[in-house]
Amino acid sequence: MSGIVALCADEMSLKMPQLLGLEDLTLESIGWLETFTSGAELRSAVAAGKGFEEVWIISSQDVPEVNLVAALRRDGFSGVVVMVTSDPGGSCRSRASSAGVTEVEDPEGFSRRFAIELRRRARMGEVADAYPEGLGVPLSGNPRKGGLAATASQAPSRECKGSGLLMTIASGSGGVGKSVVAACLAAQLASHGARVILLDCDLQFGMLPRAFGQERPLTFEDVLPRASMFAKLAQQAKVGEVALVGAPARLERSELLAESVPDLASAATDQFDIVVADLGTAWSDMHAALLEMASRTLFMVDQRSGSVRACQHALELCQRMGIAAGTFAFALNHCSKTAPFIPADISCALGGVPVQALSDGGSEVDELCSLGAIKELAASANPFARSVEKLAATLFPAWVEVSEVEVETKSGFTAFWGFGRSRRRRRGSRRDEPFVIKAGAPYSAQVRNGGAASDKTGRSDGSESKRTISRRQRREVRA
């Protein structure tokens, strides 16, 4: 949302925003907000063509709130209308829906919505140097952020027409967790105030709607005849929610729809801040077009050597097609203290590019995804979700602030950066400092009697009785 917002409330609330749950704010100083105290003033401003993108109605001095909404709809206002009430029960919501209210919020929800919008507006005014060099630099086709223009040899053949950012998530092989990362990343960005739409571009076997618990999702078959539906989706999207367009319901239509997906993605950037496109494994012309348009491209790799080789092949293909690699970022999934690869290994295999680490979240990730609870996963303290949040802060610093919280596994092991170094240090200490049994009862006697020396009657012999030996120490003594 980038237009003007109309706020209708009583005069006392406008003078004292604390009554609305808005602390330390002066509403008159907010440039994108225009305040009204009566419904007649608001209707006159709408009729005069003020061009309000949203209308927030808390109270009105001359007409009930529901009647004011109905009057605005009769006047031809088609934007989002948010009504704030302290009793958002079923009866109130039913009458509000009949009048044309888009969303009903309680006072706490309204203050949260206002705070998110303040943060969004502030970030939209940031300059392009907020982006780190070499990672996530926007192309020239994104006027909102500016940024470095692509060189003549790297200029894409087609660009997004809108002011939103298009991010593609790709891989060279299947099973790397690409769809889960796309869903969790979209949910993280939406929770930080961005208007996000997720496109399931795996047109054959995409299952993203199930991760969000949607039984009958909107599909590309529904959107293709009328791309204007993106405007409706943007208006209906609630704060913190992710809009979603799923793969076609019929598999045989995937090839027919593939050539239209890039145009639909470009149309989505007109209405949303961030468009996340989850690409399928089988590469096609659609992949090339989306990669050329994208302001961000995340390549996913997992702990299999075949996944690394497939990523190398995909990058070689991008090079042959002349796709600029300045927007490419890389992430290694399923990182843990026992994983065979660390980010440094993948970085060496891919020519020294920076590689982010995504922690292994365990069975909880699969369980929540199968239950359609991806939002709960994104908001949880799961190591995978927290590492995705750090990835979002790296790729989109204007939307997500870098968190200072370390991502740890259940054992307390730091799983984000530097975990390989810790593993090697522990292994080295075991080699350099072998376990030595202290003087006392023989090792066989300790093992046989549960770690304490005893005589034939089974009684311990005083000071020797407290000496125990762990399983790991027994293995090292045998070695």
Side-chain angles (χ1 to χ4, degrees):
M1 182 173 62
S2 57
I4 301 176
V5 177
L7 173 63
C8 186
D10 60 275
E11 188 174 356
M12 183 63 69
S13 297
L14 295 179
K15 289 182 178 180
M16 302 178 63
Q18 301 92 314
L19 299 176
L20 304 177
L22 309 176
E23 301 292 339
D24 302 327
L25 282 179
T26 304
L27 297 181
E28 291 79 5
S29 63
I30 302 177
W32 50 267
L33 186 69
E34 189 168 342
T35 58
F36 301 89
T37 57
S38 69
E41 294 177 354
L42 176 58
R43 292 182 64 187
S44 299
V46 171
K50 284 283 188 177
F52 297 124
E53 188 166 353
E54 288 193 6
V55 174
W56 300 343
I57 299 177
I58 299 176
S59 61
S60 175
Q61 295 180 348
D62 57 351
V63 63
E65 293 77 19
V66 175
N67 294 350
L68 176 56
V69 177
L72 288 174
R73 294 305 189 191
R74 284 197 302 269
D75 294 342
F77 180 73
S78 59
V80 175
V81 178
V82 179
M83 191 178 76
V84 183
T85 176
S86 58
D87 184 23
S91 176
C92 175
R93 291 182 181 274
S94 177
R95 291 189 295 111
S97 177
S98 301
V101 175
T102 308
E103 298 180 40
V104 177
E105 296 275 13
D106 58 10
E108 182 180 354
F110 171 73
S111 61
R112 182 168 56 251
R113 184 190 190 99
F114 201 103
I116 289 177
E117 190 60 28
L118 277 176
R119 184 171 58 186
R120 276 178 19 87
R121 299 279 183 159
R123 287 173 177 170
M124 285 169 60
E126 293 183 3
V127 295
D129 56 9
Y131 292 88
E133 291 187 7
L135 184 62
V137 181
L139 297 178
S140 58
N142 296 283
R144 173 178 294 177
K145 297 299 181 183
L148 303 177
T151 61
S153 61
Q154 296 176 334
S157 60
R158 58 196 299 175
E159 295 180 351
C160 293
K161 300 176 183 179
S163 58
L165 298 174
L166 172 63
M167 177 182 181
T168 55
I169 301 181
S171 65
S173 61
V176 299
K178 177 171 47 63
S179 298
V180 179
V181 171
C184 191
L185 183 64
Q188 292 279 6
L189 292 170
S191 67
H192 284 81
R195 286 193 306 177
V196 183
I197 184 169
L198 181 59
L199 305 181
D200 193 349
C201 297
D202 186 357
L203 300 181
Q204 294 182 340
F205 301 104
M207 301 296 289
L208 278 177
R210 297 189 64 179
F212 286 87
Q214 298 185 13
E215 296 295 334
R216 295 181 178 178
L218 189 71
T219 66
F220 282 105
E221 292 174 302
D222 304 321
V223 177
L224 182 59
R226 43 192 187 279
S228 58
M229 288 189 65
F230 287 119
K232 185 177 180 180
L233 284 175
Q235 291 178 357
Q236 294 177 347
K238 297 181 180 180
V239 176
E241 297 287 340
V242 177
L244 176 63
V245 177
R250 298 192 304 180
L251 180 62
E252 60 270 18
R253 290 186 56 83
S254 58
E255 293 185 4
L256 299 176
L257 296 172
E259 61 182 14
S260 303
V261 170
D263 293 330
L264 292 176
S266 180
T269 59
D270 288 328
Q271 307 296 333
F272 290 88
D273 300 318
I274 300 175
V275 179
V276 180
D278 177 31
L279 305 183
T281 304
W283 281 52
S284 62
D285 293 339
M286 180 192 73
H287 286 64
L290 289 173
L291 291 176
E292 288 178 341
M293 296 165 53
S295 300
R296 310 280 190 278
T297 295
L298 177 66
F299 278 91
M300 292 289 302
V301 181
D302 66 1
Q303 299 294 332
R304 298 170 298 171
S305 58
S307 173
V308 181
R309 288 194 294 269
C311 185
Q312 291 173 334
H313 287 306
L315 292 176
E316 292 171 359
L317 176 61
C318 292
Q319 185 178 11
R320 291 194 298 271
M321 291 189 298
I323 299 175
T327 59
F328 290 179
F330 301 86
L332 173 63
N333 202 7
H334 303 306
C335 293
S336 67
K337 60 182 179 181
T338 59
F341 294 134
I342 63 174
D345 299 329
I346 309 303
S347 178
C348 292
L350 299 180
V353 297
V355 178
Q356 300 267 5
L358 298 180
S359 302
D360 188 357
S363 59
E364 182 182 12
V365 175
D366 293 333
E367 292 172 359
L368 291 177
C369 289
S370 62
L371 293 173
I374 196 69
K375 286 183 59 181
E376 288 74 7
L377 173 63
S380 69
N382 185 280
F384 170 77
R386 299 283 64 83
S387 59
V388 171
E389 186 177 20
K390 287 196 174 185
L391 176 64
T394 304
L395 297 175
F396 298 93
W399 291 104
V400 184
E401 298 177 359
V402 179
S403 175
E404 299 295 333
V405 181
E406 294 249 346
V407 180
E408 296 185 353
T409 61
K410 294 180 180 179
S411 62
F413 182 84
T414 302
F416 198 63
W417 288 105
F419 61 87
R421 182 176 62 255
S422 300
R423 181 175 61 182
R424 287 192 291 268
R425 184 170 60 249
R426 290 201 310 277
R427 286 180 177 175
S429 64
R430 288 202 293 266
R431 287 194 299 266
D432 299 338
E433 301 174 6
F435 175 76
V436 178
I437 300 178
K438 297 181 180 179
Y443 167 75
S444 58
Q446 290 183 356
V447 174
R448 184 169 55 252
N449 294 292
S454 60
D455 55 17
K456 295 181 180 180
T457 61
R459 293 176 297 180
S460 301
D461 61 347
S463 61
E464 303 289 340
S465 63
K466 294 184 179 180
R467 289 198 180 100
T468 60
I469 184 167
S470 66
R471 292 183 178 179
R472 180 179 62 81
Q473 293 167 342
R474 295 171 189 169
R475 290 196 300 268
E476 295 182 46
V477 170
R478 294 192 187 102

